[in-house]
Amino acid sequence: MSKSTANIHGWLLLLPSMVLLVLFTHYPTVGTVYHSLFTEARAGQDPFFSGLENYRAAYEDPVFWTALSNNAIYALGTIPASIALALAMALWVNQRIPGRALVRMAYFTPTVLPMIAVANVWLFFFTPEYGLINQLAGALGLGDRNWLGDPDTALPSLMAVAIWKEAGFFMIFYLAALQSLSPSLAEAAELEGASRLYYLRRVVLPLLMPTTLFVLVNAIINAFRLIDHIVVMTGGGPNNASLVLLYYIYNVGFKYWDTGYASALTVVLVALLGGLAMLQFGVLGRRVHYR
């Protein structure tokens, strides 16, 4: 087979994946940017080109800034906690403990549950007076509280659900990375008299940096992507206290039918995630040690 024929065969094998990638990734992206430059049609009118008007409207929109700040708080609260909890769980179940397989299954179970089902379970936990959390609080003499109806506790309550759901998923990656470490490293550290904490800090954590970078990228994406539990539990309320950016985009596009403004908000979200991804690879990429 000649080189040119082999190249043709290679491109033909790639063609189905390339078509799907263009149709469902590149074309929607270009279309979103294009529609963000148009003002939505009104009754009896066609959409008309408005340039950056939708972006100016986003800059002047207080609800947008509320959703963005809530999303930032949500990300800062869930990402470090879920990653730290995932690492702690992975270190625990990687040891020889009784019932290790059962513990691993228990940690991973929340991951396989649909977020809608998880939200309904936690909705019962947070129910005033009758919910499990209020029952425990009452037993401790802390009194009853409307966790999802209070602007001060609605967003932290949703963050707790996300941490519970995400930690088991990230644990799997850390567990796989820990099992790939050579046992000779621990043996050498023990012979040198290094403590377990020193071995963890100086050997294990640096070698886990590629996994940490991968998990961090996924955690940031999930922090801006997951809205299922918000739809079920709070609907962005009360008074926009739990409104996040993606849910606001959904409301603008499918409730208010302003697709031009929703497209502009989507472009802002994608640009924000792209900037965060480049920052992560620029900062953490220097500390990644590949074996």
Side-chain angles (χ1 to χ4, degrees):
M1 182 183 294
S2 65
K3 184 177 180 180
S4 59
T5 304
N7 288 337
I8 293 175
H9 286 174
W11 283 109
L12 288 176
L13 290 172
L14 289 174
L15 184 60
S17 297
M18 292 176 61
V19 170
L20 291 175
L21 186 66
V22 170
L23 286 178
F24 295 102
T25 302
H26 297 130
Y27 175 74
T29 301
V30 174
T32 299
V33 175
Y34 175 78
H35 286 296
S36 71
L37 303 177
F38 286 80
T39 297
E40 184 58 30
R42 299 295 185 264
Q45 298 179 354
D46 295 327
F48 60 91
F49 181 79
S50 58
L52 300 179
E53 179 65 25
N54 287 320
Y55 296 94
R56 184 189 66 81
Y59 179 77
E60 298 175 352
D61 185 2
V63 180
F64 164 73
W65 290 108
T66 299
L68 186 60
S69 62
N70 287 342
N71 225 144
I73 295 172
Y74 181 87
L76 292 174
T78 58
I79 293 173
S82 59
I83 292 178
L85 183 58
L87 179 59
M89 292 191 302
L91 291 170
W92 172 249
V93 298
N94 191 49
Q95 301 178 18
R96 297 182 181 274
I97 58 175
R100 180 171 61 177
L102 184 61
V103 175
R104 289 178 179 178
M105 183 182 69
Y107 285 161
F108 186 68
T109 297
T111 301
V112 300
L113 297 176
M115 193 53 151
I116 296 297
V118 169
N120 280 282
V121 171
W122 280 86
L123 190 62
F124 169 73
F125 290 167
F126 288 124
T127 301
E129 298 184 12
Y130 304 105
L132 178 61
I133 295 178
N134 278 320
Q135 291 289 336
L136 294 175
L140 298 174
L142 300 178
D144 185 74
R145 187 162 191 172
N146 187 357
W147 297 93
L148 299 178
D150 188 340
D152 295 329
T153 58
L155 189 60
S157 299
L158 296 175
M159 291 162 57
V161 176
I163 293 170
W164 180 81
K165 181 79 165 58
E166 294 278 284
F169 177 66
F170 299 145
M171 179 203 70
I172 294 299
F173 298 105
Y174 276 121
L175 182 59
L178 288 171
Q179 292 178 345
S180 68
L181 297 181
S182 174
S184 61
L185 296 174
E187 295 171 0
E190 186 177 357
L191 289 175
E192 291 294 331
S195 65
R196 296 181 63 179
L197 181 60
Y198 186 86
Y199 171 70
L200 173 65
R201 184 166 57 91
R202 291 294 188 179
V203 179
V204 175
L205 292 183
L207 291 177
L208 290 180
M209 281 304 297
T211 304
T212 300
L213 181 59
F214 172 79
V215 167
L216 182 60
V217 171
N218 280 273
I220 290 179
I221 293 174
N222 287 344
F224 286 86
R225 178 181 63 87
L226 290 177
I227 62 170
D228 309 44
H229 56 316
I230 297 176
V231 174
V232 173
M233 300 176 71
T234 64
N239 194 26
N240 295 330
S242 60
L243 181 69
V244 294
L245 188 53
L246 187 58
Y247 189 57
Y248 183 49
I249 293 173
Y250 167 80
N251 286 336
V252 170
F254 294 97
K255 287 187 177 181
Y256 310 141
W257 294 106
D258 192 348
T259 56
Y261 187 39
S263 298
L265 294 177
T266 303
V267 172
V268 172
L269 176 59
V270 172
L272 177 62
L273 292 177
L276 290 174
M278 289 189 292
L279 180 63
Q280 292 171 73
F281 283 102
V283 175
L284 295 181
R286 304 171 186 175
R287 304 183 61 183
V288 172
H289 303 276
Y290 294 98
R291 300 184 301 281

